[in-house]
Amino acid sequence: MKKLVSIVLCLFILNSGFKLGNTIDTNAKIKAVFIYNFTKYIEWPQSYKEGEFTIGIIGETSLYSELIKMTETKKVANQTLEVKKFETPSAVTKCHILYVCKDKSSDINDIIKKLKNNSTLLVTEDNGLMEKGSGINFIIKDNRQKFELNKGNVEKYKLKVSSNLEALAFTVK
Amino acid sequence: MTKRIYILFISLLFTQVVFGQFIGKDAVSKALFYLQKNELDSSKKYIDEADLDQELITLPKTWYYKSLIYKDLYKLNEKDNKNSPLRLTAVESLKKLTEIDTTKEFIESAQKMMTYLASTFYNDAARSLNPQAYKNAEEYYAKYRELILLSNTGTDLLQQDIKFKLALASMLNQDLEKQAKKDSTKIEEVKGVYKMVLSLDTNNGSANYNIGIIYYNEAVDLINNMDYDMDLEKLNEMQDVCINLFLQSLPYMLKSYDLKYNEEATIKGLENIYHGLNDTEKEEFFKNLEPKN
């Protein structure tokens, strides 16, 4: 009998599972919350306040699927959200926010040329891109995601930056 | 008339045969008489009477027979009753016997009874390992321990204790995972049981691995439940909480890795924790250790 019970006990000793595989990329979710907040602190010109609010992504990132998920429940003012993925700088079309993945950082100059005459918030995630024209750049500080803000670069695209966003940025240039 | 006298004589003779042998006998002897006849209820009646006798309660045989009678009654009537009063009385009697049986007259038989009763408590502990009755499981296991140590004070129960605590933690953890919204008190309770295992065996792979996962999953749940609308100040606070949870998870998972416990899952776990900590270099290190399919 005791042997049988020992087996019962052994059956109970199971290991728990990790959640990443079947749920979310934690970092992508945090970035998505940041990006949605940027829409509250940046003002686009009148002509951009109609139609869909477009977030473009260039490069490979799990942020894409996270943003798609966000479009199911969120709007920017009255504008419905849409997410577009671009393979190359030349494929980029009009969007309110363009997120440049790290693997596409070297294309920044071509991307900036493509965005000329648009009102696009350029968001990046690599060192040194603020100096090359990025408006907001994600950085890691003490294991946490933070962002740098280059107000001048943002305003070049006829966007207005709320002072509250400046207060929340890790650095402002 | 002769017939009546004859009947009276026969009746007196019968009474003498049945009760005569009790003349001058104490309650324990009477209890033993019925015990030998397997009349346990009568036997119990007399052994309970012995409780009231100031002389009998000082004798080891009183407590030996009391434990034997109550143990047999438990086996017969209350084997499926996890809270059997008969079993508890048997245990208390055995404890009393151990205290006063200085000559160890009954030790061998008493040890067998203790082992038997201990096994019944162990079985009940195992059967009670469920979310509703686990507090009882802990009590039954404590009784099992007490009896095993009463039977042989030198018994090493360390491995048995670890096995029981792990089974308890595992059951609670499985139950927790079924809940959509986790109760933080329950989370702490599960962690507490795994930490008890680690206090017994710091190199226990399962406990290290599972505590690591619990901390990690707490952070993931918080992030998972974040609203996209959450303001940036709140988001920064949440990041602090989550990073702290990832950092708490880390030493346990690293220990699991050192112990080569559940290697594939541990490596995946470390990759995920470093991802949460935004430590790309270490994330890549563990990603490269993953088996290539």
Side-chain angles (χ1 to χ4, degrees):
Chain A
M1 187 61 194
K2 200 168 169 188
K3 198 173 178 186
L4 179 68
V5 173
S6 294
I7 293 166
V8 173
L9 282 177
C10 289
L11 286 174
F12 269 111
I13 302 168
L14 301 168
N15 289 320
S16 303
F18 272 91
K19 297 209 163 166
L20 190 64
N22 51 10
T23 52
I24 57 158
D25 175 340
T26 49
N27 294 351
K29 174 73 185 268
I30 290 168
K31 274 192 178 131
V33 177
F34 269 113
I35 289 171
Y36 189 69
N37 268 276
F38 296 155
T39 68
K40 299 180 204 167
Y41 294 108
I42 304 275
E43 193 182 338
W44 276 263
Q46 197 58 39
S47 58
Y48 275 72
K49 290 180 181 173
E50 288 167 1
E52 287 174 317
F53 189 99
T54 308
I55 302 173
I57 289 185
I58 183 161
E60 279 306 315
T61 173
S62 52
L63 178 62
Y64 175 73
S65 53
E66 192 56 53
L67 291 174
I68 292 283
K69 211 189 289 177
M70 188 169 85
T71 63
E72 292 163 12
T73 54
K74 294 292 166 195
K75 282 185 170 186
V76 176
N78 289 324
Q79 293 175 280
T80 53
L81 273 164
E82 69 167 1
V83 183
K84 284 183 179 172
K85 196 170 180 182
F86 306 113
E87 299 299 326
T88 59
S90 60
V92 173
T93 55
K94 180 188 169 187
C95 43
H96 295 73
I97 296 174
L98 181 65
Y99 186 88
V100 183
C101 300
K102 204 167 188 173
D103 65 315
K104 293 288 180 184
S105 293
S106 57
D107 291 338
I108 190 76
N109 291 332
D110 292 338
I111 292 166
I112 286 169
K113 273 182 207 161
K114 185 73 185 174
L115 292 180
K116 206 176 173 186
N117 302 323
N118 281 293
S119 288
T120 301
L121 174 66
L122 188 59
V123 180
T124 54
E125 55 172 1
D126 207 354
N127 291 331
L129 294 189
M130 296 291 279
E131 289 72 29
K132 292 186 175 176
S134 169
I136 288 178
N137 187 47
F138 280 112
I139 52 167
I140 304 299
K141 286 286 170 199
D142 302 322
N143 301 111
R144 288 140 179 90
Q145 293 193 49
K146 305 276 177 190
F147 68 93
E148 304 170 307
L149 173 68
N150 189 322
K151 204 178 164 189
N153 286 345
V154 176
E155 287 172 346
K156 269 185 205 168
Y157 294 90
K158 301 178 206 78
L159 305 175
K160 284 183 189 163
V161 183
S162 157
S163 56
N164 290 338
L165 188 65
E166 290 179 46
L168 291 162
F170 187 74
T171 55
V172 182
K173 288 178 183 170
Chain B
M1 184 64 183
T2 312
K3 197 178 173 185
R4 279 187 183 172
I5 291 170
Y6 179 73
I7 289 167
L8 183 64
F9 176 75
I10 293 293
S11 300
L12 282 170
L13 187 66
F14 177 76
T15 309
Q16 179 66 23
V17 167
V18 175
F19 299 106
Q21 59 196 312
F22 285 165
I23 294 168
K25 295 280 177 72
D26 62 41
V28 176
S29 302
K30 290 172 192 171
L32 180 59
F33 171 79
Y34 284 109
L35 178 65
Q36 283 164 345
K37 291 176 74 179
N38 210 23
E39 291 180 25
L40 292 172
D41 288 333
S42 301
S43 186
K44 176 178 174 295
K45 181 188 150 200
Y46 285 108
I47 205 70
D48 287 345
E49 274 180 19
D51 270 358
L52 306 171
D53 187 316
Q54 292 307 305
E55 195 183 326
L56 287 177
I57 59 169
T58 63
L59 301 176
K61 71 171 183 179
T62 305
W63 299 104
Y64 171 72
Y65 287 119
K66 185 158 186 173
S67 54
L68 186 61
I69 292 161
Y70 272 82
K71 185 264 294 177
D72 284 351
L73 277 167
Y74 159 72
K75 262 175 100 168
L76 193 68
N77 299 325
E78 291 185 348
K79 214 173 170 192
D80 294 326
N81 178 3
K82 295 190 184 86
N83 299 314
S84 163
L86 293 169
R87 178 169 62 173
L88 289 177
T89 306
V91 171
E92 289 309 308
S93 304
L94 282 167
K95 281 198 241 175
K96 189 78 187 165
L97 170 66
T98 312
E99 269 172 45
I100 62 174
D101 187 16
T102 48
T103 60
K104 311 276 183 205
E105 186 186 350
F106 297 99
I107 184 109
E108 207 175 309
S109 274
Q111 278 175 337
K112 279 183 188 162
M113 270 196 277
M114 288 172 198
T115 308
Y116 166 74
L117 290 170
S119 73
T120 66
F121 278 112
Y122 187 87
N123 292 345
D124 286 345
R127 290 191 196 106
S128 304
L129 276 177
N130 60 64
Q132 290 73 41
Y134 70 94
K135 292 277 180 200
N136 296 335
E138 288 181 290
E139 283 172 26
Y140 302 139
Y141 186 77
K143 282 278 177 208
Y144 158 79
R145 267 192 121 259
E146 187 186 9
L147 278 166
I148 291 293
L149 293 174
L150 193 65
S151 154
N152 184 351
T153 47
T155 308
D156 182 3
L157 284 170
L158 181 66
Q159 291 310 314
Q160 207 71 339
D161 288 347
I162 291 170
K163 200 160 88 172
F164 176 74
K165 294 284 181 203
L166 269 183
L168 175 64
S170 174
M171 180 278 297
L172 291 171
N173 204 12
Q174 295 298 314
D175 184 51
L176 191 66
E177 284 186 3
K178 287 182 206 155
Q179 296 168 16
K181 192 163 170 56
K182 309 275 185 285
D183 178 346
S184 59
T185 316
K186 289 276 174 200
I187 295 174
E188 292 310 312
E189 185 179 25
V190 181
K191 277 188 218 161
V193 182
Y194 278 126
K195 283 178 183 175
M196 264 191 253
V197 174
L198 291 181
S199 70
L200 300 171
D201 174 16
T202 50
N203 289 329
N204 189 285
S206 178
N208 277 295
Y209 174 82
N210 280 294
I211 295 185
I213 288 178
I214 292 169
Y215 278 117
Y216 172 84
N217 282 349
E218 268 188 279
V220 172
D221 277 339
L222 286 174
I223 295 168
N224 221 351
N225 292 323
M226 275 180 189
D227 194 293
Y228 297 105
D229 237 343
M230 177 182 282
D231 69 58
L232 290 182
E233 278 180 40
K234 178 77 181 160
L235 177 63
N236 285 335
E237 283 171 27
M238 288 296 283
Q239 280 202 85
D240 289 345
V241 173
C242 293
I243 294 303
N244 188 38
L245 288 166
F246 286 135
L247 288 172
Q248 287 188 80
S249 165
L250 193 56
Y252 294 105
M253 289 307 285
L254 286 171
K255 182 78 177 179
S256 179
Y257 176 67
D258 287 344
L259 294 166
K260 299 190 186 308
Y261 179 80
N262 205 3
E263 255 186 309
E264 204 176 314
T266 296
I267 288 169
K268 183 74 189 162
L270 283 164
E271 183 193 326
N272 292 352
I273 291 165
Y274 282 118
H275 180 80
L277 289 170
N278 294 293
D279 190 333
T280 316
E281 200 178 313
K282 285 180 181 155
E283 181 188 350
E284 280 302 310
F285 173 81
F286 284 102
K287 195 172 190 171
N288 290 333
L289 293 181
E290 274 187 42
K292 304 282 181 284
N293 292 322

